[in-house]
């Protein structure tokens, strides 16, 4: 079989090429350049010139033809321009997911086929299986990579069956350490090359500087939100009361997340919440349990209630009035904000579009015992809302919605019907441990109700759902 390997100059694609060659395939390498500009990039990290040089050395070492293609126009149009547009709207895109859907397995794939390739292989840590359904049709499955620390299936969550039919992932069944070992044994020039970081094919960037190429700075207020806001907020209390009414044991629903990072939990004695890799394959979707929610009550839940549960809180009601006072011996007249029990103006920022939910770096707000996190951004009014501590109520949400037009089924044969409810394991960002959740399909879209509140659910990111270790579908939050 004639195979095109997307050779990036990294160790993963290099070993993928090596394995394909050893398996007897007719292999050729294709290196793509997708970015020329340097503004906002941190020099010395994965510059494309060095990558191309290493990729050529690897191809020569393995003994396969090497080709080069410039896809920078396509990349800017279909990935970077989309990224700028999403940030300008206050949403946080994932360019790596778009790069795979729009570039690697579209523009790049088409070029490879023109060069005679039957399939395109990449160095992703994921697996592909092809099965035959009851009607004799081929169904291509994407499975998580066997190395739990390197699984990259998330980045392929927008691929369709046609794209998967022409894809191969040779290292998906290997651990990273094995890949390094194979590279050293073959004396590949990329054996000790560091893994790439940052935006796909752009590299590691100073994101605000990178975005300022098209998005202008604009000073605005940083508003810190206090607990009192949630005590008195009708929306928050409606969510709390509704979730309480949906619990299977008629208990109190959990409202605040119990983990403080992608790999660390606050509840160290809870073995269920400490799971990071596998669920129970005996349960639907590989989930650990049937979940905390009463399914019979979910069935009768009105769509309008689900919309309220999945809608972020509105912080615009926190407003600040000014008052004048006299200061010092000369009683100089000054102006200050009146005290507000719901929040305080804690600082200034350079543009709400440069910040994302859950971010804690770059805020420059001192005087707090715990870290400060972004809990919301208001692009129209140019305001950032923040909260103190990992357990701040504004960081946690239990329900989110994916609009109907944003739902993508990798397995069209498993597409949910209107009114159907299923249990799946879900992640809302790369490297987040899979979370047990109940998916509810309604006319207006797909609602995801997590067993435990999730930190930093962010509009524009991709939610991906799995049945055990198979990726079933995805959608834009």
């Amino acid at each position: 079989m004639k195979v095109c390997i997307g050779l990036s100059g990294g160790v993963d694609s290099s070993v993928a090429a090596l394995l394909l060659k050893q398996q007897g395939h007719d292999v050729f390498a294709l290196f793509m350049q997708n970015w020329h500009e340097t503004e906002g990039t941190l020099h010395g990290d994965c510059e494309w010139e060095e990558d191309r040089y290493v990729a050529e050395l690897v191809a020569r070492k393995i003994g396969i033809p090497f080709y080069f293609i410039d896809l920078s126009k396509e990349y800017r149009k279909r990935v970077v321009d989309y990224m700028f547009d999403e940030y300008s709207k206050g949403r946080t895109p994932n360019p790596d997911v778009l790069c795979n859907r729009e570039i690697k397995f579209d523009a790049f794939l088409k070029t490879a086929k023109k060069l005679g390739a039957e399939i395109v292989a990449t160095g992703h840590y994921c697996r592909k299986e092809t099965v035959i359904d009851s009607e004799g049709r081929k169904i291509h499955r994407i499975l998580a990579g066997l190395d739990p620390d390197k699984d990259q299936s998330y980045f392929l969550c927008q691929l369709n069956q046609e794209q998967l039919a022409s894809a191969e992932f040779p290292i998906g069944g290997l651990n990273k350490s094995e890949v390094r070992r194979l590279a050293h044994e073959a004396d590949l020039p990329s054996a000790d090359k560091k893994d790439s970081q940052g935006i796909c094919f752009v590299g590691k960037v100073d994101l605000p500087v990178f975005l300022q190429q098209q998005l202008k700075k604009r000073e605005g207020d940083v508003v810190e939100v206090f607990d009192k806001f949630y005590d008195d907020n009708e929306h928050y209390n409606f969510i709390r009361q509704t979730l309480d009414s949906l619990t299977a044991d008629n208990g109190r629903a959990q409202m605040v997340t119990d983990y403080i990072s992608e790999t660390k939990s606050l509840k160290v004695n809870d073995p269920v919440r400490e799971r990071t890799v596998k669920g129970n394959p005996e349960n639907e979707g590989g989930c650990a349990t049937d979940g905390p929610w009463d399914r019979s009550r979910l069935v009768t839940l009105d769509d309008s209630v689900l919309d309220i549960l999945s809608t972020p809180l509105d912080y615009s009601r926190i407003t600040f009035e000014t008052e004048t006072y006299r200061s010092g011996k000369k009683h100089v007249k000054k102006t200050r904000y009146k005290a507000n029990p719901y929040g305080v103006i804690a600082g200034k920022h350079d543009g709400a579009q440069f910040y994302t939910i859950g971010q804690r770096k770059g805020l420059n707000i001192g005087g707090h015992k715990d870290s400060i996190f972004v809990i919301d951004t208001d692009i129209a009014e140019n305001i950032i809302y923040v909260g103190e501590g990992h357990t701040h109520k504004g960081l946690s949400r239990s329900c989110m919605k994916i609009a109907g037009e944003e739902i993508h089924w990798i397995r069209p044969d498993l597409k949910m019907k209107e009114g159907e409810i299923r249990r799946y394991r879900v992640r809302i960002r790369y490297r987040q441990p899979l979370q047990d959740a109940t998916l509810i399909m309604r006319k207006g879209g797909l609602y995801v109700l997590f067993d435990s509140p999730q930190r930093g659910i962010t509009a524009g990111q991709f939610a991906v759902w799995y049945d055990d270790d198979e990726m079933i579908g995805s959608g834009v939050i």
Side-chain angles (χ1 to χ4, degrees), residues 55-77:
E56 280 195 83
L57 292 178
V58 170
R60 194 178 307 159
K61 180 71 176 181
I62 296 174
I64 58 176
F66 179 87
Y67 299 95
F68 169 85
I69 183 173
D70 187 338
L71 293 175
S72 55
K73 289 183 179 179
E74 288 288 330
Y75 186 80
R76 170 170 281 283
K77 178 181 177 181

PDB file of all heavy atoms in Angstrom, residues 55-77:
ATOM      1  N   ALA A  55      13.211  16.754   9.535  1.00  0.00           N
ATOM      2  CA  ALA A  55      12.333  15.835   8.807  1.00  0.00           C
ATOM      3  C   ALA A  55      13.038  15.259   7.581  1.00  0.00           C
ATOM      4  O   ALA A  55      12.919  14.054   7.281  1.00  0.00           O
ATOM      5  CB  ALA A  55      11.042  16.551   8.397  1.00  0.00           C
ATOM      6  N   GLU A  56      13.780  16.100   6.863  1.00  0.00           N
ATOM      7  CA  GLU A  56      14.530  15.610   5.696  1.00  0.00           C
ATOM      8  C   GLU A  56      15.597  14.598   6.108  1.00  0.00           C
ATOM      9  O   GLU A  56      15.798  13.581   5.427  1.00  0.00           O
ATOM     10  CB  GLU A  56      15.190  16.786   4.971  1.00  0.00           C
ATOM     11  CG  GLU A  56      14.248  17.548   4.069  1.00  0.00           C
ATOM     12  CD  GLU A  56      14.992  18.450   3.095  1.00  0.00           C
ATOM     13  OE1 GLU A  56      15.445  17.956   2.027  1.00  0.00           O
ATOM     14  OE2 GLU A  56      15.123  19.645   3.403  1.00  0.00           O
ATOM     15  N   LEU A  57      16.273  14.864   7.215  1.00  0.00           N
ATOM     16  CA  LEU A  57      17.286  13.930   7.701  1.00  0.00           C
ATOM     17  C   LEU A  57      16.653  12.587   8.075  1.00  0.00           C
ATOM     18  O   LEU A  57      17.222  11.523   7.795  1.00  0.00           O
ATOM     19  CB  LEU A  57      18.007  14.524   8.916  1.00  0.00           C
ATOM     20  CG  LEU A  57      18.913  15.737   8.685  1.00  0.00           C
ATOM     21  CD1 LEU A  57      19.504  16.207  10.006  1.00  0.00           C
ATOM     22  CD2 LEU A  57      20.033  15.399   7.688  1.00  0.00           C
ATOM     23  N   VAL A  58      15.474  12.636   8.693  1.00  0.00           N
ATOM     24  CA  VAL A  58      14.772  11.410   9.084  1.00  0.00           C
ATOM     25  C   VAL A  58      14.377  10.610   7.850  1.00  0.00           C
ATOM     26  O   VAL A  58      14.571   9.387   7.780  1.00  0.00           O
ATOM     27  CB  VAL A  58      13.524  11.742   9.933  1.00  0.00           C
ATOM     28  CG1 VAL A  58      12.650  10.497  10.129  1.00  0.00           C
ATOM     29  CG2 VAL A  58      13.933  12.304  11.289  1.00  0.00           C
ATOM     30  N   ALA A  59      13.814  11.290   6.848  1.00  0.00           N
ATOM     31  CA  ALA A  59      13.395  10.606   5.621  1.00  0.00           C
ATOM     32  C   ALA A  59      14.591   9.940   4.932  1.00  0.00           C
ATOM     33  O   ALA A  59      14.500   8.808   4.444  1.00  0.00           O
ATOM     34  CB  ALA A  59      12.727  11.604   4.679  1.00  0.00           C
ATOM     35  N   ARG A  60      15.715  10.652   4.926  1.00  0.00           N
ATOM     36  CA  ARG A  60      16.927  10.096   4.313  1.00  0.00           C
ATOM     37  C   ARG A  60      17.413   8.873   5.084  1.00  0.00           C
ATOM     38  O   ARG A  60      17.841   7.874   4.493  1.00  0.00           O
ATOM     39  CB  ARG A  60      18.011  11.174   4.275  1.00  0.00           C
ATOM     40  CG  ARG A  60      19.195  10.867   3.370  1.00  0.00           C
ATOM     41  CD  ARG A  60      20.177  12.029   3.363  1.00  0.00           C
ATOM     42  NE  ARG A  60      19.505  13.286   3.043  1.00  0.00           N
ATOM     43  CZ  ARG A  60      19.995  14.476   3.346  1.00  0.00           C
ATOM     44  NH1 ARG A  60      21.144  14.572   3.983  1.00  0.00           N
ATOM     45  NH2 ARG A  60      19.322  15.567   3.011  1.00  0.00           N
ATOM     46  N   LYS A  61      17.344   8.962   6.425  1.00  0.00           N
ATOM     47  CA  LYS A  61      17.797   7.859   7.263  1.00  0.00           C
ATOM     48  C   LYS A  61      16.930   6.614   7.052  1.00  0.00           C
ATOM     49  O   LYS A  61      17.441   5.485   6.953  1.00  0.00           O
ATOM     50  CB  LYS A  61      17.745   8.278   8.733  1.00  0.00           C
ATOM     51  CG  LYS A  61      18.199   7.225   9.731  1.00  0.00           C
ATOM     52  CD  LYS A  61      19.693   7.005   9.669  1.00  0.00           C
ATOM     53  CE  LYS A  61      20.160   6.025  10.717  1.00  0.00           C
ATOM     54  NZ  LYS A  61      21.614   5.812  10.677  1.00  0.00           N
ATOM     55  N   ILE A  62      15.621   6.811   6.961  1.00  0.00           N
ATOM     56  CA  ILE A  62      14.709   5.676   6.783  1.00  0.00           C
ATOM     57  C   ILE A  62      14.756   5.159   5.346  1.00  0.00           C
ATOM     58  O   ILE A  62      14.517   3.979   5.095  1.00  0.00           O
ATOM     59  CB  ILE A  62      13.274   6.093   7.172  1.00  0.00           C
ATOM     60  CG1 ILE A  62      13.209   6.452   8.670  1.00  0.00           C
ATOM     61  CG2 ILE A  62      12.270   4.986   6.871  1.00  0.00           C
ATOM     62  CD1 ILE A  62      11.857   7.009   9.109  1.00  0.00           C
ATOM     63  N   GLY A  63      15.067   6.064   4.418  1.00  0.00           N
ATOM     64  CA  GLY A  63      15.127   5.682   3.014  1.00  0.00           C
ATOM     65  C   GLY A  63      13.809   5.828   2.296  1.00  0.00           C
ATOM     66  O   GLY A  63      13.397   4.933   1.539  1.00  0.00           O
ATOM     67  N   ILE A  64      13.145   6.975   2.523  1.00  0.00           N
ATOM     68  CA  ILE A  64      11.860   7.236   1.856  1.00  0.00           C
ATOM     69  C   ILE A  64      11.921   8.600   1.184  1.00  0.00           C
ATOM     70  O   ILE A  64      12.642   9.492   1.635  1.00  0.00           O
ATOM     71  CB  ILE A  64      10.676   7.194   2.851  1.00  0.00           C
ATOM     72  CG1 ILE A  64      10.873   8.227   3.970  1.00  0.00           C
ATOM     73  CG2 ILE A  64      10.504   5.797   3.427  1.00  0.00           C
ATOM     74  CD1 ILE A  64       9.693   8.310   4.931  1.00  0.00           C
ATOM     75  N   PRO A  65      11.187   8.777   0.064  1.00  0.00           N
ATOM     76  CA  PRO A  65      11.162  10.074  -0.622  1.00  0.00           C
ATOM     77  C   PRO A  65      10.599  11.173   0.298  1.00  0.00           C
ATOM     78  O   PRO A  65       9.759  10.899   1.163  1.00  0.00           O
ATOM     79  CB  PRO A  65      10.242   9.832  -1.820  1.00  0.00           C
ATOM     80  CG  PRO A  65      10.246   8.353  -2.014  1.00  0.00           C
ATOM     81  CD  PRO A  65      10.394   7.757  -0.647  1.00  0.00           C
ATOM     82  N   PHE A  66      11.069  12.392   0.086  1.00  0.00           N
ATOM     83  CA  PHE A  66      10.641  13.527   0.906  1.00  0.00           C
ATOM     84  C   PHE A  66      10.099  14.626   0.006  1.00  0.00           C
ATOM     85  O   PHE A  66      10.745  15.013  -0.977  1.00  0.00           O
ATOM     86  CB  PHE A  66      11.824  14.054   1.717  1.00  0.00           C
ATOM     87  CG  PHE A  66      11.495  15.243   2.596  1.00  0.00           C
ATOM     88  CD1 PHE A  66      10.998  15.067   3.875  1.00  0.00           C
ATOM     89  CD2 PHE A  66      11.671  16.543   2.116  1.00  0.00           C
ATOM     90  CE1 PHE A  66      10.699  16.156   4.685  1.00  0.00           C
ATOM     91  CE2 PHE A  66      11.370  17.637   2.909  1.00  0.00           C
ATOM     92  CZ  PHE A  66      10.880  17.441   4.200  1.00  0.00           C
ATOM     93  N   TYR A  67       8.908  15.124   0.350  1.00  0.00           N
ATOM     94  CA  TYR A  67       8.296  16.219  -0.407  1.00  0.00           C
ATOM     95  C   TYR A  67       7.905  17.342   0.556  1.00  0.00           C
ATOM     96  O   TYR A  67       7.746  17.128   1.765  1.00  0.00           O
ATOM     97  CB  TYR A  67       7.050  15.749  -1.157  1.00  0.00           C
ATOM     98  CG  TYR A  67       7.313  14.660  -2.169  1.00  0.00           C
ATOM     99  CD1 TYR A  67       7.151  13.318  -1.825  1.00  0.00           C
ATOM    100  CD2 TYR A  67       7.718  14.964  -3.465  1.00  0.00           C
ATOM    101  CE1 TYR A  67       7.391  12.307  -2.749  1.00  0.00           C
ATOM    102  CE2 TYR A  67       7.957  13.959  -4.395  1.00  0.00           C
ATOM    103  CZ  TYR A  67       7.790  12.635  -4.027  1.00  0.00           C
ATOM    104  OH  TYR A  67       8.032  11.647  -4.930  1.00  0.00           O
ATOM    105  N   PHE A  68       7.761  18.530  -0.014  1.00  0.00           N
ATOM    106  CA  PHE A  68       7.419  19.715   0.779  1.00  0.00           C
ATOM    107  C   PHE A  68       6.207  20.402   0.152  1.00  0.00           C
ATOM    108  O   PHE A  68       6.088  20.475  -1.073  1.00  0.00           O
ATOM    109  CB  PHE A  68       8.605  20.678   0.808  1.00  0.00           C
ATOM    110  CG  PHE A  68       8.296  22.045   1.381  1.00  0.00           C
ATOM    111  CD1 PHE A  68       8.339  22.267   2.746  1.00  0.00           C
ATOM    112  CD2 PHE A  68       7.951  23.097   0.540  1.00  0.00           C
ATOM    113  CE1 PHE A  68       8.051  23.523   3.264  1.00  0.00           C
ATOM    114  CE2 PHE A  68       7.673  24.361   1.052  1.00  0.00           C
ATOM    115  CZ  PHE A  68       7.724  24.567   2.421  1.00  0.00           C
ATOM    116  N   ILE A  69       5.321  20.906   1.002  1.00  0.00           N
ATOM    117  CA  ILE A  69       4.171  21.665   0.506  1.00  0.00           C
ATOM    118  C   ILE A  69       3.897  22.835   1.431  1.00  0.00           C
ATOM    119  O   ILE A  69       4.015  22.721   2.655  1.00  0.00           O
ATOM    120  CB  ILE A  69       2.915  20.780   0.372  1.00  0.00           C
ATOM    121  CG1 ILE A  69       1.758  21.594  -0.219  1.00  0.00           C
ATOM    122  CG2 ILE A  69       2.509  20.186   1.720  1.00  0.00           C
ATOM    123  CD1 ILE A  69       0.533  20.781  -0.545  1.00  0.00           C
ATOM    124  N   ASP A  70       3.558  23.970   0.857  1.00  0.00           N
ATOM    125  CA  ASP A  70       3.225  25.167   1.620  1.00  0.00           C
ATOM    126  C   ASP A  70       1.698  25.315   1.645  1.00  0.00           C
ATOM    127  O   ASP A  70       1.072  25.573   0.623  1.00  0.00           O
ATOM    128  CB  ASP A  70       3.861  26.403   0.969  1.00  0.00           C
ATOM    129  CG  ASP A  70       3.692  27.666   1.813  1.00  0.00           C
ATOM    130  OD1 ASP A  70       2.772  27.698   2.656  1.00  0.00           O
ATOM    131  OD2 ASP A  70       4.470  28.617   1.633  1.00  0.00           O
ATOM    132  N   LEU A  71       1.121  25.125   2.821  1.00  0.00           N
ATOM    133  CA  LEU A  71      -0.337  25.250   2.990  1.00  0.00           C
ATOM    134  C   LEU A  71      -0.695  26.453   3.862  1.00  0.00           C
ATOM    135  O   LEU A  71      -1.742  26.493   4.492  1.00  0.00           O
ATOM    136  CB  LEU A  71      -0.910  23.976   3.621  1.00  0.00           C
ATOM    137  CG  LEU A  71      -0.846  22.709   2.769  1.00  0.00           C
ATOM    138  CD1 LEU A  71      -1.335  21.501   3.571  1.00  0.00           C
ATOM    139  CD2 LEU A  71      -1.688  22.862   1.508  1.00  0.00           C
ATOM    140  N   SER A  72       0.201  27.430   3.907  1.00  0.00           N
ATOM    141  CA  SER A  72       0.015  28.561   4.819  1.00  0.00           C
ATOM    142  C   SER A  72      -1.230  29.388   4.487  1.00  0.00           C
ATOM    143  O   SER A  72      -1.890  29.900   5.395  1.00  0.00           O
ATOM    144  CB  SER A  72       1.257  29.456   4.825  1.00  0.00           C
ATOM    145  OG  SER A  72       1.594  29.876   3.516  1.00  0.00           O
ATOM    146  N   LYS A  73      -1.563  29.522   3.198  1.00  0.00           N
ATOM    147  CA  LYS A  73      -2.773  30.283   2.845  1.00  0.00           C
ATOM    148  C   LYS A  73      -4.022  29.578   3.345  1.00  0.00           C
ATOM    149  O   LYS A  73      -4.933  30.202   3.896  1.00  0.00           O
ATOM    150  CB  LYS A  73      -2.840  30.489   1.334  1.00  0.00           C
ATOM    151  CG  LYS A  73      -1.807  31.459   0.787  1.00  0.00           C
ATOM    152  CD  LYS A  73      -1.979  31.673  -0.706  1.00  0.00           C
ATOM    153  CE  LYS A  73      -0.945  32.657  -1.239  1.00  0.00           C
ATOM    154  NZ  LYS A  73      -1.089  32.867  -2.717  1.00  0.00           N
ATOM    155  N   GLU A  74      -4.062  28.263   3.154  1.00  0.00           N
ATOM    156  CA  GLU A  74      -5.201  27.492   3.633  1.00  0.00           C
ATOM    157  C   GLU A  74      -5.271  27.531   5.158  1.00  0.00           C
ATOM    158  O   GLU A  74      -6.345  27.646   5.748  1.00  0.00           O
ATOM    159  CB  GLU A  74      -5.089  26.033   3.162  1.00  0.00           C
ATOM    160  CG  GLU A  74      -5.336  25.829   1.684  1.00  0.00           C
ATOM    161  CD  GLU A  74      -6.799  25.996   1.329  1.00  0.00           C
ATOM    162  OE1 GLU A  74      -7.653  25.714   2.191  1.00  0.00           O
ATOM    163  OE2 GLU A  74      -7.095  26.417   0.202  1.00  0.00           O
ATOM    164  N   TYR A  75      -4.114  27.442   5.800  1.00  0.00           N
ATOM    165  CA  TYR A  75      -4.078  27.423   7.259  1.00  0.00           C
ATOM    166  C   TYR A  75      -4.569  28.751   7.837  1.00  0.00           C
ATOM    167  O   TYR A  75      -5.330  28.777   8.800  1.00  0.00           O
ATOM    168  CB  TYR A  75      -2.650  27.137   7.730  1.00  0.00           C
ATOM    169  CG  TYR A  75      -2.518  26.953   9.223  1.00  0.00           C
ATOM    170  CD1 TYR A  75      -2.852  25.749   9.827  1.00  0.00           C
ATOM    171  CD2 TYR A  75      -2.073  27.990  10.033  1.00  0.00           C
ATOM    172  CE1 TYR A  75      -2.732  25.565  11.202  1.00  0.00           C
ATOM    173  CE2 TYR A  75      -1.947  27.828  11.407  1.00  0.00           C
ATOM    174  CZ  TYR A  75      -2.278  26.616  11.978  1.00  0.00           C
ATOM    175  OH  TYR A  75      -2.175  26.447  13.334  1.00  0.00           O
ATOM    176  N   ARG A  76      -4.124  29.853   7.248  1.00  0.00           N
ATOM    177  CA  ARG A  76      -4.582  31.155   7.741  1.00  0.00           C
ATOM    178  C   ARG A  76      -6.088  31.305   7.548  1.00  0.00           C
ATOM    179  O   ARG A  76      -6.798  31.740   8.473  1.00  0.00           O
ATOM    180  CB  ARG A  76      -3.856  32.296   7.027  1.00  0.00           C
ATOM    181  CG  ARG A  76      -4.461  33.668   7.330  1.00  0.00           C
ATOM    182  CD  ARG A  76      -3.629  34.815   6.832  1.00  0.00           C
ATOM    183  NE  ARG A  76      -2.515  35.107   7.700  1.00  0.00           N
ATOM    184  CZ  ARG A  76      -2.618  35.755   8.861  1.00  0.00           C
ATOM    185  NH1 ARG A  76      -3.797  36.144   9.311  1.00  0.00           N
ATOM    186  NH2 ARG A  76      -1.559  36.001   9.575  1.00  0.00           N
ATOM    187  N   LYS A  77      -6.580  30.920   6.390  1.00  0.00           N
ATOM    188  CA  LYS A  77      -7.992  31.101   6.079  1.00  0.00           C
ATOM    189  C   LYS A  77      -8.886  30.209   6.922  1.00  0.00           C
ATOM    190  O   LYS A  77      -9.936  30.639   7.420  1.00  0.00           O
ATOM    191  CB  LYS A  77      -8.219  30.822   4.583  1.00  0.00           C
ATOM    192  CG  LYS A  77      -9.663  30.933   4.142  1.00  0.00           C
ATOM    193  CD  LYS A  77      -9.796  30.611   2.655  1.00  0.00           C
ATOM    194  CE  LYS A  77     -11.248  30.651   2.194  1.00  0.00           C
ATOM    195  NZ  LYS A  77     -11.374  30.307   0.755  1.00  0.00           N
TER     196      LYS A  77
END
